[in-house]
Amino acid sequence: MAAKLRAKIAGTGSYLPEKVLTNFDLEGMVETSDEWIITRTGIRERRIAATESCTDMAAKAAERALKSAGVTASEIELVVVGTVTPEMSFPSTACFVQSRLEIKTGVPAFDLSAACSGFLYALDVAEKYVAAGVAKKALVIGVDRFSQLIDWSDRSTCVLFGDGAGAVVLSATRGKSGVMASNIHSDGRKWDMLYAPGEAAKTPFVEQGDQRSSDEEHRSQYLSMSGNETFKVAVRTMVASIKEALKDAGIGAEEIKLLIPHQANQRIIKATRERLKLPEERVYMNLDKYGNTSAGSIPIALDEASREGRLKRGDIVVFVAFGGGLTWSSAAVRW
Ligand code: COA
């Protein structure tokens, strides 16, 4: 009997915008300090897509992933993009990427909306197409341009986020490498812990009520978050999701060579790591440079970890994310 078909991560790529926004820059914009931001979050600077669109970032990350995999765009049979800041409401950013990279006509390309869990949701779906033999090679992208969702006068949120994109090429294999287990979860009842109404809030046909000032109306389209509550739920759900992935893969936490968590806050990552009894050197962090890049966060970190030689063939790498929705997700992969 032939070995099971698996989705192997054949290549990685990422793109970070040129413009750097430091904590010191933010000190000039809102009442905050470099010290407060570093102590509470671990973030020192983030990138802002001042000239790049969502498609620009996604396409550049995808091109780099194709190059690292040694795969041509003409071999791609599926494109899935996790994003909540698409190029347009429609068509999907995945369709724009298909056109930009000259991926074959007829190849399915679509976006998934799962906020900061967007990349892992996209990976989960694409992995199933590959493992079922429907697509031999798939492009999976996580991209967000959160700078367009932020109220830059709100210090409680504007210090946390940045823009960026990451991508992987999945390739069907009957070898041992590839996705061993993957889970995705949601709880729509807790949608109001973390949300951004966006353009939908702008229509003049929605009754805003007489009491609301124009300033409040202006702000209402931007990202809103219950920081403390989000923090606690993030740790709880990420730990549970990792344990589920480990159980489904039939391995123990001690076998994790590298945990690549969503880069939201170093205190969330530390609390998650401690509950799994993982040593610090087995957990990847780059949020000091980029902040929380939402769906871009995990594939950007994976690309950097891979380029830094942190992953060797056969290593177990585990991803975990948490985001608005609420959504959460984890995957265990043999490199
Ligand atoms: N600079 C200075 N002070 C700030 C500030 C800033 N940027 N943002 C908030 N503060 C103030 C608050 O107003 C508050 O002041 P007060 O005590 O006078 O009321 C104080 O700092 C403490 O605020 P608090 O919200 O309790 O801080 P915290 O330790 O919980 O940290 C977060 C706040 C947002 C960093 C933290 O809750 C967090 O990271 N939550 C998760 C957010 C997240 O990751 N979301 C995305 C998930 S995908």
PDB file of all heavy atoms in Angstrom, residues 5 12 31 46-47 64 87 92 116 143 150 169 177 234-235 240 243 245 248 254 260 306 332:
ATOM      1  N   LEU A   5      -0.535  10.389   1.511  1.00  0.00           N
ATOM      2  CA  LEU A   5      -0.164  11.642   0.853  1.00  0.00           C
ATOM      3  C   LEU A   5      -0.142  12.764   1.900  1.00  0.00           C
ATOM      4  O   LEU A   5      -1.062  12.882   2.707  1.00  0.00           O
ATOM      5  CB  LEU A   5      -1.213  11.961  -0.224  1.00  0.00           C
ATOM      6  CG  LEU A   5      -0.805  12.789  -1.438  1.00  0.00           C
ATOM      7  CD1 LEU A   5       0.429  12.230  -2.129  1.00  0.00           C
ATOM      8  CD2 LEU A   5      -1.972  12.852  -2.419  1.00  0.00           C
ATOM      9  N   THR A  12       9.518  28.825   1.645  1.00  0.00           N
ATOM     10  CA  THR A  12       8.917  29.926   2.411  1.00  0.00           C
ATOM     11  C   THR A  12       9.380  31.273   1.847  1.00  0.00           C
ATOM     12  O   THR A  12      10.457  31.364   1.251  1.00  0.00           O
ATOM     13  CB  THR A  12       9.348  29.873   3.896  1.00  0.00           C
ATOM     14  OG1 THR A  12      10.770  30.066   3.963  1.00  0.00           O
ATOM     15  CG2 THR A  12       8.987  28.558   4.565  1.00  0.00           C
ATOM     16  N   GLU A  31       0.212  59.633  23.646  1.00  0.00           N
ATOM     17  CA  GLU A  31       0.870  59.684  24.944  1.00  0.00           C
ATOM     18  C   GLU A  31       1.306  58.269  25.337  1.00  0.00           C
ATOM     19  O   GLU A  31       0.532  57.474  25.871  1.00  0.00           O
ATOM     20  CB  GLU A  31      -0.112  60.238  25.984  1.00  0.00           C
ATOM     21  CG  GLU A  31       0.601  60.930  27.116  1.00  0.00           C
ATOM     22  CD  GLU A  31      -0.395  61.431  28.131  1.00  0.00           C
ATOM     23  OE1 GLU A  31      -1.415  62.014  27.729  1.00  0.00           O
ATOM     24  OE2 GLU A  31      -0.146  61.192  29.329  1.00  0.00           O
ATOM     25  N   ARG A  46       7.802  48.569  14.138  1.00  0.00           N
ATOM     26  CA  ARG A  46       6.935  47.817  13.238  1.00  0.00           C
ATOM     27  C   ARG A  46       7.070  48.436  11.857  1.00  0.00           C
ATOM     28  O   ARG A  46       7.581  49.556  11.709  1.00  0.00           O
ATOM     29  CB  ARG A  46       5.474  47.789  13.710  1.00  0.00           C
ATOM     30  CG  ARG A  46       4.696  49.069  13.699  1.00  0.00           C
ATOM     31  CD  ARG A  46       5.046  50.057  14.776  1.00  0.00           C
ATOM     32  NE  ARG A  46       4.745  49.670  16.159  1.00  0.00           N
ATOM     33  CZ  ARG A  46       5.546  49.945  17.191  1.00  0.00           C
ATOM     34  NH1 ARG A  46       6.685  50.634  17.005  1.00  0.00           N
ATOM     35  NH2 ARG A  46       5.244  49.607  18.410  1.00  0.00           N
ATOM     36  N   ARG A  47       6.623  47.696  10.817  1.00  0.00           N
ATOM     37  CA  ARG A  47       6.694  48.203   9.446  1.00  0.00           C
ATOM     38  C   ARG A  47       5.308  48.688   9.012  1.00  0.00           C
ATOM     39  O   ARG A  47       4.301  48.083   9.376  1.00  0.00           O
ATOM     40  CB  ARG A  47       7.152  47.099   8.487  1.00  0.00           C
ATOM     41  CG  ARG A  47       8.516  46.519   8.820  1.00  0.00           C
ATOM     42  CD  ARG A  47       9.612  47.583   8.704  1.00  0.00           C
ATOM     43  NE  ARG A  47      10.906  46.995   8.973  1.00  0.00           N
ATOM     44  CZ  ARG A  47      11.702  46.481   8.031  1.00  0.00           C
ATOM     45  NH1 ARG A  47      11.335  46.480   6.768  1.00  0.00           N
ATOM     46  NH2 ARG A  47      12.865  45.958   8.363  1.00  0.00           N
ATOM     47  N   ARG A  64       8.932  34.946  -3.460  1.00  0.00           N
ATOM     48  CA  ARG A  64      10.094  34.454  -2.700  1.00  0.00           C
ATOM     49  C   ARG A  64       9.887  33.013  -2.248  1.00  0.00           C
ATOM     50  O   ARG A  64      10.830  32.217  -2.226  1.00  0.00           O
ATOM     51  CB  ARG A  64      10.347  35.374  -1.500  1.00  0.00           C
ATOM     52  CG  ARG A  64      10.870  36.717  -1.972  1.00  0.00           C
ATOM     53  CD  ARG A  64      10.933  37.755  -0.892  1.00  0.00           C
ATOM     54  NE  ARG A  64      11.407  39.022  -1.455  1.00  0.00           N
ATOM     55  CZ  ARG A  64      11.443  40.174  -0.810  1.00  0.00           C
ATOM     56  NH1 ARG A  64      11.057  40.240   0.449  1.00  0.00           N
ATOM     57  NH2 ARG A  64      11.880  41.259  -1.398  1.00  0.00           N
ATOM     58  N   GLU A  87      -7.174  43.535  -0.848  1.00  0.00           N
ATOM     59  CA  GLU A  87      -6.944  44.630  -1.806  1.00  0.00           C
ATOM     60  C   GLU A  87      -8.253  45.388  -2.063  1.00  0.00           C
ATOM     61  O   GLU A  87      -8.296  46.603  -2.060  1.00  0.00           O
ATOM     62  CB  GLU A  87      -6.418  44.013  -3.115  1.00  0.00           C
ATOM     63  CG  GLU A  87      -6.053  44.992  -4.194  1.00  0.00           C
ATOM     64  CD  GLU A  87      -4.692  45.652  -3.940  1.00  0.00           C
ATOM     65  OE1 GLU A  87      -3.865  45.088  -3.204  1.00  0.00           O
ATOM     66  OE2 GLU A  87      -4.473  46.740  -4.497  1.00  0.00           O
ATOM     67  N   SER A  92     -11.056  38.677  -4.828  1.00  0.00           N
ATOM     68  CA  SER A  92     -10.192  38.302  -3.713  1.00  0.00           C
ATOM     69  C   SER A  92      -8.742  38.706  -3.993  1.00  0.00           C
ATOM     70  O   SER A  92      -8.316  38.822  -5.159  1.00  0.00           O
ATOM     71  CB  SER A  92     -10.263  36.788  -3.492  1.00  0.00           C
ATOM     72  OG  SER A  92      -9.694  36.114  -4.588  1.00  0.00           O
ATOM     73  N   CYS A 116      -6.073  37.221  12.816  1.00  0.00           N
ATOM     74  CA  CYS A 116      -4.683  36.808  13.074  1.00  0.00           C
ATOM     75  C   CYS A 116      -4.465  35.311  12.895  1.00  0.00           C
ATOM     76  O   CYS A 116      -3.331  34.857  12.807  1.00  0.00           O
ATOM     77  CB  CYS A 116      -4.249  37.248  14.468  1.00  0.00           C
ATOM     78  SG  CYS A 116      -4.284  39.033  14.663  1.00  0.00           S
ATOM     79  N   VAL A 143      -1.424  37.612   4.807  1.00  0.00           N
ATOM     80  CA  VAL A 143      -1.050  39.026   4.578  1.00  0.00           C
ATOM     81  C   VAL A 143      -2.056  39.936   5.275  1.00  0.00           C
ATOM     82  O   VAL A 143      -3.246  39.682   5.250  1.00  0.00           O
ATOM     83  CB  VAL A 143      -0.991  39.346   3.059  1.00  0.00           C
ATOM     84  CG1 VAL A 143      -2.284  39.019   2.351  1.00  0.00           C
ATOM     85  CG2 VAL A 143      -0.599  40.802   2.814  1.00  0.00           C
ATOM     86  N   ILE A 150      -6.337  50.885  11.888  1.00  0.00           N
ATOM     87  CA  ILE A 150      -5.982  51.418  13.210  1.00  0.00           C
ATOM     88  C   ILE A 150      -6.378  52.887  13.347  1.00  0.00           C
ATOM     89  O   ILE A 150      -6.169  53.680  12.434  1.00  0.00           O
ATOM     90  CB  ILE A 150      -4.442  51.301  13.413  1.00  0.00           C
ATOM     91  CG1 ILE A 150      -3.980  49.848  13.318  1.00  0.00           C
ATOM     92  CG2 ILE A 150      -3.996  51.933  14.729  1.00  0.00           C
ATOM     93  CD1 ILE A 150      -4.498  48.944  14.392  1.00  0.00           C
ATOM     94  N   VAL A 169       4.920  27.400   0.010  1.00  0.00           N
ATOM     95  CA  VAL A 169       4.487  26.525  -1.075  1.00  0.00           C
ATOM     96  C   VAL A 169       4.306  25.142  -0.468  1.00  0.00           C
ATOM     97  O   VAL A 169       5.215  24.632   0.194  1.00  0.00           O
ATOM     98  CB  VAL A 169       5.539  26.465  -2.215  1.00  0.00           C
ATOM     99  CG1 VAL A 169       5.155  25.413  -3.247  1.00  0.00           C
ATOM    100  CG2 VAL A 169       5.685  27.829  -2.872  1.00  0.00           C
ATOM    101  N   SER A 177       8.009  14.055   5.661  1.00  0.00           N
ATOM    102  CA  SER A 177       7.869  15.487   5.940  1.00  0.00           C
ATOM    103  C   SER A 177       6.459  15.961   5.599  1.00  0.00           C
ATOM    104  O   SER A 177       5.829  15.414   4.703  1.00  0.00           O
ATOM    105  CB  SER A 177       8.851  16.289   5.101  1.00  0.00           C
ATOM    106  OG  SER A 177      10.166  15.936   5.434  1.00  0.00           O
ATOM    107  N   ALA A 234      -6.469  34.310  24.787  1.00  0.00           N
ATOM    108  CA  ALA A 234      -5.425  33.921  23.828  1.00  0.00           C
ATOM    109  C   ALA A 234      -4.559  32.811  24.419  1.00  0.00           C
ATOM    110  O   ALA A 234      -4.311  31.783  23.772  1.00  0.00           O
ATOM    111  CB  ALA A 234      -4.565  35.129  23.464  1.00  0.00           C
ATOM    112  N   VAL A 235      -4.123  32.988  25.654  1.00  0.00           N
ATOM    113  CA  VAL A 235      -3.253  31.978  26.277  1.00  0.00           C
ATOM    114  C   VAL A 235      -4.014  30.649  26.406  1.00  0.00           C
ATOM    115  O   VAL A 235      -3.511  29.596  26.023  1.00  0.00           O
ATOM    116  CB  VAL A 235      -2.747  32.458  27.658  1.00  0.00           C
ATOM    117  CG1 VAL A 235      -1.938  31.359  28.346  1.00  0.00           C
ATOM    118  CG2 VAL A 235      -1.913  33.733  27.505  1.00  0.00           C
ATOM    119  N   ALA A 240      -4.595  25.018  24.489  1.00  0.00           N
ATOM    120  CA  ALA A 240      -5.498  23.898  24.179  1.00  0.00           C
ATOM    121  C   ALA A 240      -5.311  23.442  22.730  1.00  0.00           C
ATOM    122  O   ALA A 240      -5.290  22.236  22.435  1.00  0.00           O
ATOM    123  CB  ALA A 240      -6.944  24.327  24.417  1.00  0.00           C
ATOM    124  N   LYS A 243      -2.062  21.486  22.317  1.00  0.00           N
ATOM    125  CA  LYS A 243      -2.199  20.132  22.894  1.00  0.00           C
ATOM    126  C   LYS A 243      -3.008  19.228  21.970  1.00  0.00           C
ATOM    127  O   LYS A 243      -2.684  18.050  21.801  1.00  0.00           O
ATOM    128  CB  LYS A 243      -2.859  20.220  24.274  1.00  0.00           C
ATOM    129  CG  LYS A 243      -1.891  20.746  25.335  1.00  0.00           C
ATOM    130  CD  LYS A 243      -2.502  20.711  26.710  1.00  0.00           C
ATOM    131  CE  LYS A 243      -1.462  21.136  27.754  1.00  0.00           C
ATOM    132  NZ  LYS A 243      -2.057  21.352  29.076  1.00  0.00           N
ATOM    133  N   ALA A 245      -3.200  19.494  18.664  1.00  0.00           N
ATOM    134  CA  ALA A 245      -2.361  19.169  17.499  1.00  0.00           C
ATOM    135  C   ALA A 245      -1.332  18.090  17.859  1.00  0.00           C
ATOM    136  O   ALA A 245      -1.088  17.155  17.083  1.00  0.00           O
ATOM    137  CB  ALA A 245      -1.666  20.414  16.974  1.00  0.00           C
ATOM    138  N   ASP A 248      -3.139  14.730  18.164  1.00  0.00           N
ATOM    139  CA  ASP A 248      -3.504  14.203  16.840  1.00  0.00           C
ATOM    140  C   ASP A 248      -2.271  13.720  16.066  1.00  0.00           C
ATOM    141  O   ASP A 248      -2.367  12.811  15.239  1.00  0.00           O
ATOM    142  CB  ASP A 248      -4.243  15.271  16.020  1.00  0.00           C
ATOM    143  CG  ASP A 248      -5.618  15.574  16.608  1.00  0.00           C
ATOM    144  OD1 ASP A 248      -6.095  14.793  17.456  1.00  0.00           O
ATOM    145  OD2 ASP A 248      -6.212  16.608  16.239  1.00  0.00           O
ATOM    146  N   GLU A 254       7.621  17.695  24.451  1.00  0.00           N
ATOM    147  CA  GLU A 254       9.089  17.677  24.502  1.00  0.00           C
ATOM    148  C   GLU A 254       9.706  17.418  23.125  1.00  0.00           C
ATOM    149  O   GLU A 254      10.890  17.685  22.907  1.00  0.00           O
ATOM    150  CB  GLU A 254       9.579  16.645  25.537  1.00  0.00           C
ATOM    151  CG  GLU A 254       9.339  15.181  25.226  1.00  0.00           C
ATOM    152  CD  GLU A 254       7.877  14.729  25.358  1.00  0.00           C
ATOM    153  OE1 GLU A 254       7.048  15.499  25.885  1.00  0.00           O
ATOM    154  OE2 GLU A 254       7.562  13.605  24.919  1.00  0.00           O
ATOM    155  N   ILE A 260       6.379  28.145  16.730  1.00  0.00           N
ATOM    156  CA  ILE A 260       6.273  29.467  16.097  1.00  0.00           C
ATOM    157  C   ILE A 260       4.871  29.995  16.399  1.00  0.00           C
ATOM    158  O   ILE A 260       3.908  29.655  15.715  1.00  0.00           O
ATOM    159  CB  ILE A 260       6.556  29.396  14.585  1.00  0.00           C
ATOM    160  CG1 ILE A 260       7.961  28.819  14.344  1.00  0.00           C
ATOM    161  CG2 ILE A 260       6.418  30.786  13.962  1.00  0.00           C
ATOM    162  CD1 ILE A 260       8.454  28.860  12.920  1.00  0.00           C
ATOM    163  N   SER A 306      13.563  29.708   9.163  1.00  0.00           N
ATOM    164  CA  SER A 306      14.120  28.793   8.172  1.00  0.00           C
ATOM    165  C   SER A 306      15.426  29.360   7.590  1.00  0.00           C
ATOM    166  O   SER A 306      16.432  28.666   7.468  1.00  0.00           O
ATOM    167  CB  SER A 306      13.062  28.562   7.091  1.00  0.00           C
ATOM    168  OG  SER A 306      13.639  28.087   5.931  1.00  0.00           O
ATOM    169  N   ALA A 332       0.907  20.978  13.567  1.00  0.00           N
ATOM    170  CA  ALA A 332       2.205  20.335  13.825  1.00  0.00           C
ATOM    171  C   ALA A 332       2.738  19.828  12.488  1.00  0.00           C
ATOM    172  O   ALA A 332       2.022  19.155  11.741  1.00  0.00           O
ATOM    173  CB  ALA A 332       2.042  19.175  14.800  1.00  0.00           C
TER     174      ALA A 332
END
